[in-house]
Amino acid sequence: MCGIVAYVGNKQVTSLLIEGLKRLEYRGYDSAGIAVMRTPEGATMETPGEITMCRSVGRVSVLQSRVEKEPEKYQGSLGIAHTRWATHGKVTEANAHPHIGKTKDGHTITLVHNGTIENYATLRTYLEKRGHTFYGESDTEVLTKLIAELYDGNLERTVQKTLQEITGAYAIAVICDREPHTLVAARKGSPLIIGIAEHAYIVASDQSAIVSHTTQVIHLDDYQVARLCAGPSDRKKTVVGEPWSVDFRTTTLENEEVTQEIQELELDLQEIELAGYEHYMLKEIMQQPDSIRTCLNGRIDKREGRVVLGGLTNLAKELVRARKFILTAQGTAYHAALIGEYLLEELAKIPCECEYASEFRYRNPIIEDGTVVLAVSQSGETSDTLEALREAKDRGATALGVVNVVGSTMSRETDAGVYLRVGPEIGVASTKAFIGQVTVLTMIALFVGRRRFLSKDLVSRYLDELDQVPEFVAQIVKQTDAIKACVEQVVDRDNWLFLGRGYNYPVALEGALKLKEISYIHAEGMPAAEMKHGPIALIDEGMPVVFLATQGSQYDKVISNIEEVKARGGRIIAVATEGDTNIERYTDDGFVFWVPSISEPLQPLLTTVPLQLLAYHAAQLRGLDVDKPRNLAKSVTVE
Ligand code: M6R
């Protein structure tokens, strides 16, 4: 939630920061702001700067047009910027970042922040007593003013000191006009990456805002502070564009120097472009065949019936002897984890539980010897999932991660894990990451299952089918126009149900979530049998009810549920197996989306896809912003 980007170096900073904000906008988009350090003509390294700021409610484009009206005001080579997802305080210009504080000697501190400061109320009272006046309600304003209050002429030292007084989560970038070539950044609990470019440093919440400048990065750890300086080699004159000398160091809050390894980003700029698609969500749905191929690449050996997961090899014996798996996640990742539970119990025969991380972390869970906790997350930064993982580790569990973002906090804090390798997911609604998560969980279940009870032949057969999934998904997405035509007929309905059994029950949950989050249609997903225990009362004439009705052990039961809904006037939309002529008796023309035949454990990889397209078209037809649904942010880094 919230994206921050900051730059210090030898280039004009404004357009660069705006470009960074656009890349990070998926993390929050209710307001945006920028602060730039201007240095007077002929300034030397020691001449104080002057900070100019612009903040606006709305998207980054609103900020951009305001900044572009007065370009001369925002000339500088050091700046910070922010795109907000509101936590404390309404969506107003006053609460937008950057925030400002005045030091005792009249200097200006400006700061951007991603996270939440928990003890802000006490600190605010303290600061008010010290004479600070507040213009908004944001916790970040409190942090900024506390830094200003404690400022002792050295920004790095002051930030270290101030953060010792803070409880909560933060990724921050701070500047002070008295130190016009210094950028200080720090983190605890919220992600922050530092890009090391030629003559410059770029700090950002994620790699997407960095990759066009450099692929050399360091990941700050919690409670670490970075001081990044860039200034002209000729210390007597600031000349933007010339080679500049740069210098950085990272320290603990106690000012002990720490060495951070420089890592190479593996992100390709093309992966974060729209590539001709109207929306990232559509691109990410359509490219799922390739995403699955990359996810599987080199990891399955059909002939030998072997799954090769480098990240798990060292732990293989421990996993095989595990007494219990606990899968934990939030949102769409939770639905993938639920499928993981079914897969691990059926294929690896290990008792499993699947639990929302937000519940798990607070309810004193029982972790006994032999417990493996497996966190599933696209971003690897979701606050609840991360804390659940830490809680489990503290209690002695082996911690595994199924994560997409390489180098994310979860990927660094788990004992072992498997990356999704599906590339960056930009659309706020998770699609290809879900398919990647289920693919990886299937491979993990087969990896462990083969070492326990599964025969080589059976694993070979599953792998053979898994290998065909990309081609099957490619066939399914071709139905996009047919799905749109169906949605057109029911998109005005405000209440929908999604029903499935077995492996398709989590798919029903996921279908409902997708529809809710981007089209604002109220939808509920549940086990088909559960409908009779209450929700059936909702069904009235014409209510759309989506059934996952693929061939399998519970097909007849699902058909009975379809009959029950039809008898009450519900409008049946079905996801069914190709060749099933029976299903069309219950549906209107064009209300069946077809998937190729595949074993039940692999069905979610196919049945989810039409539901993604259904949600996409519903949101489109309702004229909504598919990639940036209201109130949401891609990565939920606050509780
Ligand atoms: O990054 P994560 O996978 O941990 O994110 C978990 C959820 O916040 C995420 O799946 C969310 O539910 C998406 N908006 C779903 O489309």
Side-chain angles (χ1 to χ4, degrees):
M1 332 219 81
C2 301
I4 67 175
V5 56
Y7 175 93
V8 58
N10 68 342
K11 289 193 182 150
Q12 286 296 351
V13 77
T14 308
S15 54
L16 197 145
L17 292 179
I18 297 281
E19 180 209 310
L21 283 185
K22 285 190 173 166
R23 299 240 179 253
L24 295 172
E25 201 172 17
Y26 71 95
R27 300 177 65 89
Y29 32 82
D30 53 42
S31 55
I34 185 172
V36 174
M37 181 78 71
R38 281 162 24 119
T39 40
E41 189 81 358
T44 68
M45 286 285 281
E46 282 71 35
T47 317
E50 185 196 327
I51 295 173
T52 47
M53 231 170 70
C54 183
R55 302 181 297 177
S56 60
V57 170
R59 300 284 164 93
V60 173
S61 54
V62 180
L63 175 77
Q64 181 176 19
S65 50
R66 283 180 64 176
V67 166
E68 283 174 356
K69 274 189 194 131
E70 302 174 282
E72 64 296 337
K73 254 178 92 176
Y74 304 99
Q75 299 276 314
S77 48
L78 165 61
I80 58 179
H82 187 270
T83 178
R84 181 171 186 240
W85 186 89
T87 52
H88 293 72
K90 293 207 178 75
V91 180
T92 59
E93 201 167 302
N95 289 328
H97 301 214
H99 282 284
I100 282 215
K102 283 282 172 201
T103 67
K104 286 175 201 133
D105 54 359
H107 284 289
T108 302
I109 301 284
T110 313
L111 175 147
V112 289
H113 168 221
N114 168 26
T116 40
I117 306 301
E118 285 163 10
N119 56 340
Y120 79 99
T122 326
L123 293 171
R124 185 173 170 135
T125 312
Y126 162 77
L127 288 164
E128 277 166 346
K129 283 191 190 136
R130 309 279 303 169
H132 293 267
T133 48
F134 285 81
Y135 49 77
E137 301 103 47
S138 161
D139 56 332
T140 306
E141 189 186 346
V142 175
L143 173 59
T144 315
K145 289 193 159 66
L146 188 61
I147 293 174
E149 171 66 22
L150 301 180
Y151 185 66
D152 62 2
N154 179 323
L155 188 60
E156 179 196 35
R157 201 168 52 215
T158 308
V159 169
Q160 291 166 345
K161 233 170 23 191
T162 311
L163 293 178
Q164 295 182 30
E165 306 302 321
I166 293 295
T167 51
Y170 53 79
I172 55 170
V174 201
I175 56 177
C176 173
D177 57 2
R178 188 172 154 185
E179 300 174 52
H181 299 284
T182 302
L183 170 64
V184 174
R187 74 158 272 181
K188 189 224 145 187
S190 300
L192 199 71
I193 306 178
I194 299 170
I196 300 168
E198 230 187 329
H199 315 301
Y201 299 108
I202 308 113
V203 172
S205 300
D206 76 37
Q207 44 189 3
S208 64
I210 290 182
V211 69
S212 60
H213 304 282
T214 179
T215 53
Q216 304 280 296
V217 296
I218 57 174
H219 294 270
L220 270 196
D221 283 327
D222 279 354
Y223 302 107
Q224 288 185 352
V225 176
R227 188 199 61 199
L228 310 154
C229 300
S233 307
D234 174 358
R235 292 178 59 85
K236 292 208 187 85
K237 203 150 188 249
T238 301
V239 188
V240 172
E242 298 284 300
W244 277 21
S245 58
V246 290
D247 159 51
F248 85 90
R249 68 171 206 147
T250 46
T251 55
T252 62
L253 297 187
E254 289 73 34
N255 197 28
E256 284 150 15
E257 264 198 61
V258 280
T259 314
Q260 280 292 2
E261 198 191 326
I262 298 180
Q263 292 170 347
E264 181 77 19
L265 275 187
E266 283 173 16
L267 183 67
D268 178 350
L269 196 55
Q270 271 187 354
E271 291 182 83
I272 52 176
E273 305 290 1
L274 272 168
Y277 286 94
E278 200 176 343
H279 295 105
Y280 282 106
M281 183 184 178
L282 186 61
K283 173 187 171 196
E284 286 156 8
I285 294 172
M286 291 303 186
Q287 293 189 340
Q288 286 178 124
D290 284 340
S291 313
I292 305 166
R293 264 182 214 112
T294 333
C295 177
L296 292 174
N297 196 14
R299 287 168 163 174
I300 58 173
D301 181 341
K302 293 188 280 181
R303 253 184 50 181
E304 294 302 315
R306 243 163 39 103
V307 176
V308 186
L309 297 172
L312 300 189
T313 311
N314 288 342
L315 276 186
K317 282 201 176 118
E318 200 175 320
L319 299 181
V320 168
R321 288 194 208 113
R323 299 172 68 167
K324 182 165 89 175
F325 268 66
I326 299 174
L327 294 100
T328 192
Q330 295 291 140
T332 284
Y334 171 78
H335 301 151
L338 212 50
I339 295 169
E341 177 190 356
Y342 284 35
L343 286 164
L344 278 158
E345 289 213 338
E346 179 169 346
L347 302 176
K349 301 267 180 287
I350 296 181
C352 285
E353 284 168 24
C354 178
E355 191 166 356
Y356 281 113
S358 54
E359 293 300 312
F360 176 85
R361 63 181 283 204
Y362 286 120
R363 69 165 183 86
N364 207 5
I366 300 166
I367 306 274
E368 290 172 313
D369 264 5
T371 303
V372 174
V373 168
L374 196 165
V376 183
S377 175
Q378 188 286 128
S379 61
E381 303 291 351
T382 298
S383 159
D384 281 319
T385 312
L386 186 57
E387 290 307 326
L389 192 71
R390 287 175 176 159
E391 182 64 29
K393 275 184 80 173
D394 284 351
R395 289 169 184 244
T398 302
L400 297 189
V402 169
V403 169
N404 194 33
V405 178
V406 177
S408 56
T409 311
M410 269 180 237
S411 73
R412 289 182 289 132
E413 292 196 11
T414 41
D415 297 313
V418 182
Y419 280 121
L420 306 186
R421 299 203 311 215
V422 297
E425 188 178 67
I426 313 280
V428 166
S430 185
T431 52
K432 67 173 179 177
F434 174 84
I435 294 294
Q437 285 156 355
V438 178
T439 306
V440 166
L441 289 165
T442 309
M443 287 192 284
I444 294 178
L446 292 170
F447 177 92
V448 181
R450 174 70 187 106
R451 288 165 170 78
R452 285 167 64 89
F453 310 103
L454 292 181
S455 68
K456 178 178 155 185
D457 281 356
L458 190 54
V459 174
S460 284
R461 262 183 277 146
Y462 278 125
L463 293 183
D464 205 29
E465 285 192 298
L466 201 52
D467 201 30
Q468 293 179 65
V469 167
E471 183 46 41
F472 288 168
V473 172
Q475 288 170 31
I476 296 167
V477 296
K478 284 189 191 138
Q479 294 171 69
T480 183
D481 291 341
I483 294 172
K484 183 176 177 189
C486 161
V487 176
E488 262 164 353
Q489 297 183 55
V490 278
V491 73
D492 57 328
R493 300 295 302 216
D494 284 328
N495 290 297
W496 292 47
L497 277 184
F498 287 74
L499 302 175
R501 286 169 178 260
Y503 284 97
N504 277 324
Y505 152 52
V507 175
L509 296 179
E510 176 58 7
L513 175 61
K514 282 289 89 73
L515 190 66
K516 277 185 268 209
E517 68 178 331
I518 59 166
S519 73
Y520 319 151
I521 291 172
H522 174 246
E524 282 192 54
M526 66 191 72
E530 183 63 14
M531 174 192 66
K532 285 205 285 287
H533 298 272
I536 197 164
L538 292 169
I539 295 168
D540 58 6
E541 198 60 36
M543 179 185 188
V545 182
V546 181
F547 274 96
L548 284 309
T550 39
Q551 293 293 335
S553 52
Q554 302 198 57
Y555 176 78
D556 291 340
K557 307 240 177 286
V558 173
I559 293 293
S560 302
N561 298 133
I562 291 180
E563 300 261 22
E564 288 152 8
V565 171
K566 197 148 174 77
R568 286 159 181 84
R571 202 132 182 226
I572 311 294
I573 299 169
V575 176
T577 308
E578 279 167 4
D580 177 358
T581 45
N582 175 46
I583 197 79
E584 287 172 317
R585 288 175 33 214
Y586 306 97
T587 56
D588 295 354
D589 198 20
F591 275 43
V592 185
F593 314 139
W594 300 106
V595 298
S597 172
I598 199 161
S599 303
E600 281 184 65
L602 303 186
Q603 285 186 359
L605 292 168
L606 307 186
T607 51
T608 308
V609 179
L611 305 189
Q612 297 170 339
L613 285 166
L614 182 150
Y616 173 78
H617 289 302
Q620 264 282 65
L621 289 163
R622 287 187 161 215
L624 300 170
D625 188 341
V626 173
D627 283 331
K628 298 190 189 79
R630 72 181 175 205
N631 304 337
L632 277 171
K634 179 73 182 159
S635 171
V636 183
T637 51
V638 294
E639 282 190 54

